Structures are given as C-alpha cells and as structure tokens.
Amino acid sequence: MISIIANGFQLFVNYMVAIIVAIVLGLALRLPLLPENPIRFSWTTSALFPTPIFAIGILAIFYSLNIFWIYDGLLIAVIVGAFSAIFVKYLFDYIFPDPQGGSE
C-alpha cells in the first residue's frame, strides 16, 4: 500500500490556502466580514466565522484519512475552501438553525 506523507510546511500552506479561499469566496458571496454587534451574542454567519473553521475541519478530516490529491493536497484545499464558503452561505442556517429564545 502506497501512502503519501506531506511535510509540515506543505500542510501549513494548504491550510492557509483553504482559509484564504474560504474568506475571499465568502466575501464574494456577500457574507459580511464580521457578525452583527454585539459579536458575543450574535448568531449570524460571516466570512471570518464559521467559514474558515469549516474549511480547516474538513481539510483536517481529509488529511487524517490520507486523502491527498494532486499537488500535495493543494487542489483539495482550494476545493474545500470553496465548498465551505458555499455551505455557510446557503446551507448553514438549514442545518444549524438559530436557537429559540436566545435573544437577550
């Protein structure tokens, strides 16, 4: 069985690429940069949270399963970053609805 092992710098670059793609595409899809004020009690999605968090998490799942694609995982980092921005824009509110009665 052949196993592809990427070095630490390549993994760091792939994570940064996924984060940048997720934020840029989130802004292109007209997600706000920051959530509504006060940020601590806001349940609105934004380009900075939870978009890159999903990108990092999904990419970590792929890497833990040793799923590297061409260019040492760089292409999969771009795809995961784009998917996370699209997911947060269109599907996040359906899968994770706002809490009921949490308006204080």
Side-chain angles (χ1 to χ4, degrees), residues 15 53-67 80:
Y15 281 123
I53 307 304
F54 277 110
I56 291 171
I58 294 170
L59 197 60
I61 290 171
F62 279 123
Y63 289 158
S64 68
L65 297 174
N66 280 336
I67 299 175
V80 165

Side-chain angles (χ1 to χ4, degrees), residues 72-94:
D72 290 328
L74 189 61
L75 185 61
I76 201 162
V78 171
I79 292 170
V80 165
F83 172 75
S84 68
I86 293 169
F87 171 78
V88 168
K89 173 67 177 180
Y90 296 111
L91 296 175
F92 184 80
D93 291 331
Y94 294 112

Side-chain angles (χ1 to χ4, degrees), residues 16-35:
M16 290 297 114
V17 166
I19 290 170
I20 291 170
V21 168
I23 291 173
V24 169
L25 189 59
L27 290 174
L29 291 172
R30 298 194 186 266
L31 281 171
L33 183 63
L34 293 172

Side-chain angles (χ1 to χ4, degrees), residues 41-43 98-104:
F41 298 112
S42 176
W43 289 97
D98 290 338
Q100 303 294 325
S103 60
E104 289 184 21

Side-chain angles (χ1 to χ4, degrees), residues 1-47:
M1 182 158 93
I2 298 174
S3 174
I4 299 173
I5 300 173
N7 60 10
F9 181 72
Q10 184 67 36
L11 289 176
F12 176 74
V13 168
N14 291 345
Y15 281 123
M16 290 297 114
V17 166
I19 290 170
I20 291 170
V21 168
I23 291 173
V24 169
L25 189 59
L27 290 174
L29 291 172
R30 298 194 186 266
L31 281 171
L33 183 63
L34 293 172
E36 297 172 351
N37 286 332
I39 294 173
R40 191 167 79 181
F41 298 112
S42 176
W43 289 97
T44 58
T45 57
S46 68

